[in-house]
Amino acid sequence: LNVYKPSGISSFGVIKKIKKKFNLSKIGHGGTLDPLAEGVLPIAIGKATKLIPFINNNNKEYEFEIKWGEQTSTDDKEGIIIQRTDNIPTLENIKTKLKEFRGIIMQKPPKASAKKIKGQRAYNLLRQNIDFEVEEKNVQIFETKIINWENELITKIKIKCGKGFYVRSFARDLAEKLDSKGHVHSLKRTKVGKFTVNNANLLDDLLKTGQR
């Protein structure tokens, strides 16, 4: 199933609702989306759950907004502000630095992520105020493009990337390269492999299936 996850619910929350509604015994999803994020969430049912690793290997596309001047504890607007700066990058500077983020790059996942650290989820360690480090890893960027810059404090960007890519980390790292601070203000996944927003099923519509 190609499900459009709304903002405000976790990826696990989505499959929990679908599992309950259709009384399913086996269900899973490909590529976790943060609760704040919305967009394409591939759902696998029954034997199709074995295909999830292949779905996760597919390239993805996102549209997101970076808010400049503030870094948060989660690298998105749900976290608390931990650093501020008055140094707001210009449109030309952003365009120039974006060109450096192409091909294979090293990226450190956010501390508020589902990444496992010695058997525990990173976000659980963060909630417990346990000090830890997340290892950098190789990720791939195919294309970046600015699609809106009406407000100098918020820039909307489209990105095409490979597996294991964190948009929140990208926003944080791009801001650092620009001698600024930044976090994800909004995030929408528009494509996972052949799954796109154009043929996605709205979660509410899916849950109403079979009702009279």
Side-chain angles (χ1 to χ4, degrees), residues 6 16 22 36 51-52 55 93-94 108 124 154 164 207 209:
K16 189 176 179 182
F22 298 103
L36 170 74
L51 300 176
I52 288 175
I55 294 172
N93 285 342
I94 297 168
K108 183 179 287 189
N124 284 331
I154 296 178
L207 296 176
T209 302

Side-chain angles (χ1 to χ4, degrees), residues 39 45 58 71 79 98-99 119 122 148 153 156 170 187 211:
I45 295 168
N58 283 330
Q71 184 178 358
L98 275 177
K99 292 176 184 177
N148 198 349
L153 289 178
K156 191 170 186 179
F170 176 80
L187 173 62
Q211 292 182 357

Side-chain angles (χ1 to χ4, degrees), residues 13-49:
V14 170
I15 62 172
K16 189 176 179 182
K17 283 178 177 288
I18 295 173
K19 185 176 183 179
K20 183 179 179 181
K21 164 67 181 178
F22 298 103
N23 193 27
L24 301 169
S25 59
K26 201 169 187 180
I27 184 172
H29 64 79
T32 302
L33 279 176
D34 299 328
L36 170 74
E38 61 182 275
V40 173
L41 182 68
I43 302 288
I45 295 168
K47 292 181 179 179
T49 53

